[in-house]
């Protein structure tokens, strides 16, 4: 869960940063799109169905 949380934090920073600094319209839109996409793609989709023995801890 820590990795997901870190990605959400980075996405939120990308989403907010253009408002804190003087950014052009294209920078504003680009940063908001990338930040929003990173947040949405970091949310969990469901439970883990497959298992990979001892490598399980590296995959999740």
């Amino acid at each position: 869960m820590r990795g997901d949380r870190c990605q959400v934090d980075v996405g939120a920073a990308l989403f907010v940063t253009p408002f804190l600094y003087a950014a052009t319209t294209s920078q504003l839109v680009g940063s908001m799109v990338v930040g929003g996409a990173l947040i949405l793609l970091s949310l969990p989709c469901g439970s883990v169905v497959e298992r990979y023995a001892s490598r399980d801890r590296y995959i999740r």
Side-chain angles (χ1 to χ4, degrees):
M1 182 72 180
R2 287 187 203 169
D4 295 342
R5 176 68 185 173
C6 182
Q7 291 172 353
V8 170
D9 291 343
V10 170
L14 281 171
F15 195 83
V16 172
T17 300
F19 296 106
L20 300 176
Y21 300 103
T24 64
T25 304
S26 63
Q27 291 170 338
L28 177 79
V29 170
S31 185
M32 288 179 64
V33 167
V34 171
L38 186 59
I39 291 170
L40 291 176
L41 293 173
S42 296
L43 299 176
C45 297
S47 62
V48 176
V49 178
E50 297 178 2
R51 301 289 178 196
Y52 299 99
S54 63
R55 295 172 291 177
D56 223 17
R57 62 184 153 178
Y58 301 116
I59 294 172
R60 287 196 237 156

